[in-house]
Amino acid sequence: MEIKDGVLIKVDNTDIINGTFTIPEGVTSIGDDAFRGCSDLIEIKIPEGVTSIGDGAFAYCNDLTKIKIPEGVTSIGYEAFCGCSHLTEIKIPEGVTNIDDDAFASCSDLTEIKIPEGVTSIGDGAFAYCSHLTKIRIPEGVTSIGATAFRGCSDLTEIRIPEGVTSIDYGAFEECRSLTEIRIPEGVTSIGDNAFRGCSDLIEIKIPEGVTSIGNDAF
């Protein structure tokens, strides 16, 4: 384990006891790639003083099943939990405003995620290939849903897009095969290429009057 100036820089499998690791008090930031590929990690305990989780911090911790992100965390980086294929549930704290690109991509066992009201943007591929995710509520403050944000969420049956969203980007819901109905809010003006491509169970969709652009293979 390596810590410098309050940043947890690196942990490897030799630091993990019986599948559990407790981050010491005094750590304020989990650095980029700090736990990347720690295959022995099952449970992580993060202290209240941590405010940021760096890029790739827990990427490909394949056996990680349990994590509680403390309320003080305001930043979750690129690919932070990418490839944590056994992670089943996670609660994002209220202070987070942005879910970065690929933050939870390929968390294939993830069934539930709670996005707080303060989030305003969901990055490219943020939940791509979370194949067991069945429902998600996007809060009212979100104005941007990135490209491929929910691509390959094949068990997703229900999603509500809030009024503040103005564009549905490239491949945002591509291959969401179990999605049967979706309401596009009035503020949306463009639907990107492949946005709903491969949504084979979709039986009803209402496109608002304000939409001026529908991309190639959107449906």
Side-chain angles (χ1 to χ4, degrees):
M1 177 176 63
E2 184 181 355
I3 298 171
K4 184 176 181 182
D5 298 328
V7 180
L8 180 59
I9 295 170
K10 187 62 184 169
V11 174
D12 60 37
N13 282 327
T14 60
D15 300 311
I16 297 164
I17 309 298
N18 297 323
T20 300
F21 185 84
T22 301
I23 295 175
E25 296 290 335
V27 169
T28 57
S29 177
I30 300 170
D32 295 350
D33 302 315
F35 291 86
R36 179 181 283 268
C38 283
S39 55
D40 290 350
L41 187 66
I42 297 171
E43 182 177 355
I44 182 86
K45 295 175 181 175
I46 304 175
E48 292 297 326
V50 170
T51 58
S52 69
I53 297 173
D55 295 348
F58 297 96
Y60 304 102
C61 292
N62 296 328
D63 284 343
L64 182 64
T65 58
K66 192 182 292 187
I67 189 164
K68 182 179 182 291
I69 302 174
E71 290 298 325
V73 170
T74 58
S75 171
I76 297 173
Y78 166 74
E79 283 193 346
F81 295 94
C82 180
C84 291
S85 55
H86 285 92
L87 195 61
T88 57
E89 185 178 339
I90 195 159
K91 183 175 183 252
I92 299 170
E94 294 293 332
V96 172
T97 58
N98 174 56
I99 298 173
D100 215 333
D101 296 352
D102 297 323
F104 298 95
S106 298
C107 290
S108 54
D109 280 357
L110 191 66
T111 57
E112 183 179 348
I113 187 124
K114 294 173 182 174
I115 301 176
E117 293 298 328
V119 169
T120 58
S121 69
I122 296 172
D124 294 351
F127 298 99
Y129 303 105
C130 291
S131 54
H132 283 84
L133 190 65
T134 57
K135 70 168 68 168
I136 192 162
R137 181 184 172 276
I138 300 175
E140 290 297 330
V142 170
T143 57
S144 170
I145 299 172
T148 70
F150 296 95
R151 173 191 269 170
C153 292
S154 54
D155 285 355
L156 189 66
T157 58
E158 183 181 331
I159 193 156
R160 181 179 174 277
I161 301 172
E163 294 295 332
V165 171
T166 57
S167 67
I168 298 171
D169 216 331
Y170 167 87
F173 299 98
E174 187 175 6
E175 300 295 340
C176 290
R177 294 192 298 269
S178 299
L179 198 61
T180 57
E181 183 180 342
I182 194 155
R183 180 182 170 275
I184 298 175
E186 292 297 327
V188 169
T189 58
S190 68
I191 298 170
D193 294 350
N194 299 341
F196 297 94
R197 185 176 182 268
C199 294
S200 53
D201 285 356
L202 193 63
I203 55 174
E204 183 176 347
I205 192 159
K206 185 177 180 228
I207 298 172
E209 295 290 332
V211 170
T212 57
S213 170
I214 296 176
N216 294 327
D217 296 321
F219 301 97

